[in-house]
Amino acid sequence: MIDIRDVTFYYYEPDESEANAGHRPVLSNVSLSIEPGEFVAFLGRNGSGKSSLSRLLNGIELPTQGTVLTLGRMTANRNDLQDIRRAVQIVFQNPENQQVGITVGEDIAFGLSNIGWPQEDITRRITWAIELVGLDADEDRPVTHLSGGEKQKLALAAVLALSPRCLILDEATSMLDPAARRQFIETLNKVRKEYPVTLIYITHHLEEVMDADRWFLFQGGKIAAAGTPAELELDSALLKECGVELPYYRQLAIQLRGHGVPVSAKLNGEELRGLLCKSD
Ligand SMILES: Nc1ncnc2c1ncn2[C@@H]1O[C@H](COP(=O)(O)OP(=O)(O)OP(=O)(O)O)[C@@H](O)[C@H]1O
Ligand SMILES: [Mg+2]
């Protein structure tokens, strides 16, 4: 699905000038592959390169060195770029910046009419997308009347309408309050059952990615480690180095297991609460 080979990336071409002395690449020698249908998380400190890599995946940016292959096509190849951009869609953190229509329907229609869909198909697709994300709003509703959580559902609907093969959520929940965040995650889980998609999830909230297939830990523009949550959560020194903090219930579960308490490796917060309430 995605194959990144030896990618180094600078926003500005590096040169030998004094002003650029010590100028470091935003990403250096990054190689990784993501399989179709995988759910992966990009984790790491602010500025570690997560968003930059996601922009390289759909060709918004091109690598300074190395190659980015998406669906077997190279982003550096101009002829493939349009298909790649369509196949890899990104939802960003600020809903205000990604809405282009006055109404819900116009917003979803925008991308579809850009790629030449006929009007009657667009109308059907709008209904499909609104239902898929469970947006409780008809298509004539002004976007400005939506809550933050509803706006993010609309952003999700608008990109899903374009039939992406890969979806990147770049801190898509970071501006939502806890209740809206929970609802958005529920929506996403439901969407993934009905519309299987490769999911790249960027977040500072690890509770949102405990059931990911793999985590990639970013550190200073490099991938410090990649593995399943079950593998990486045990390496507390590595997590700390990468500025990544496990949810409290996972930290507690790991400690209990360390003390010989038989706690399942997949235990979630609610199960742990139940277990602790039962114990004397
Ligand atoms: N458009 C840009 N032009 C120049 N430098 C940029 C640009 N965007 C990001 N950078 C720099 O690239 C580096 C990596 O930034 P990036 O946004 O990829 O990190 P991130 O891991 O997504 O961080 P965060 O968790 O804060 O979103 C940082 O040093 C940042 O200042
Ligand atoms: Mg970012």
Side-chain angles (χ1 to χ4, degrees):
M1 171 83 214
I2 283 170
D3 205 357
I4 297 168
R5 294 188 198 151
D6 274 328
V7 162
T8 293
F9 175 63
Y10 291 85
Y11 278 97
Y12 309 102
E13 282 298 317
D15 61 36
E16 299 300 315
S17 70
E18 211 174 305
N20 264 340
H23 191 66
R24 286 197 340 187
V26 167
L27 295 165
S28 39
N29 295 105
V30 172
S31 295
L32 61 89
S33 298
I34 299 170
E35 299 302 320
E38 247 196 310
F39 167 21
V40 304
F42 287 178
L43 307 171
R45 284 180 207 286
N46 296 118
S48 57
K50 307 177 297 293
S51 297
S52 300
L53 185 60
S54 73
R55 286 198 288 269
L56 284 163
L57 297 184
N58 83 340
I60 299 177
E61 303 284 355
L62 296 177
T64 313
Q65 283 163 25
T67 53
V68 176
L69 279 146
T70 300
L71 295 164
R73 295 156 177 222
M74 229 159 67
T75 55
N77 188 349
R78 270 174 185 274
N79 295 335
D80 289 332
L81 207 50
Q82 205 178 347
D83 286 345
I84 291 173
R85 289 205 175 142
R86 199 171 141 187
V88 181
Q89 294 287 334
I90 309 183
V91 175
F92 297 97
Q93 63 180 184
N94 188 345
E96 314 276 328
N97 292 346
Q98 42 202 333
Q99 260 104 40
V100 284
I102 308 267
T103 65
V104 165
E106 277 179 22
D107 200 66
I108 299 173
F110 184 80
L112 293 168
S113 61
N114 261 350
I115 55 171
W117 272 47
Q119 189 52 49
E120 73 242 40
D121 293 347
I122 293 182
T123 309
R124 271 200 298 276
R125 194 68 171 170
I126 291 171
T127 312
W128 174 86
I130 290 175
E131 277 180 20
L132 182 64
V133 302
L135 187 59
D136 188 17
D138 64 41
E139 61 180 273
D140 296 327
R141 186 109 177 259
V143 172
T144 48
H145 289 192
L146 301 179
S147 68
E150 287 170 334
K151 282 181 182 155
Q152 275 313 53
K153 282 189 187 176
L154 173 59
L156 190 60
V159 297
L160 288 170
L162 298 167
S163 321
R165 304 277 297 277
C166 176
L167 187 61
I168 302 177
L169 300 187
D170 191 349
E171 299 195 42
T173 61
S174 66
M175 296 181 73
L176 306 183
D177 62 46
R181 175 177 292 162
R182 269 196 301 278
Q183 258 196 19
F184 185 84
I185 304 282
E186 260 172 42
T187 298
L188 187 64
N189 287 337
K190 186 181 142 270
V191 164
R192 284 176 53 223
K193 282 193 194 119
E194 283 175 45
Y195 183 95
V197 66
T198 305
L199 178 62
I200 298 175
Y201 198 99
I202 304 175
T203 187
H204 291 282
H205 298 276
L206 260 69
E207 70 273 16
E208 296 175 352
V209 292
M210 291 311 297
D211 61 344
D213 296 312
R214 277 190 300 158
W215 289 350
F216 290 96
L217 300 183
F218 284 61
Q219 195 181 26
K222 296 189 169 150
I223 308 287
T228 64
E231 285 159 3
L232 296 183
E233 73 172 5
L234 298 176
D235 195 338
S236 53
L238 174 70
L239 295 179
K240 199 168 173 199
E241 238 173 80
C242 296
V244 168
E245 196 173 343
L246 286 177
Y248 182 67
Y249 69 86
R250 287 305 315 163
Q251 294 182 27
L252 192 57
I254 291 166
Q255 281 188 16
L256 286 171
R257 270 160 60 200
H259 284 89
V261 181
V263 175
S264 140
K266 286 265 174 193
L267 192 80
N268 65 32
E270 225 157 277
E271 288 162 352
L272 183 63
R273 240 191 322 275
L275 193 77
L276 291 174
C277 289
K278 264 192 267 160
S279 67
D280 39 33

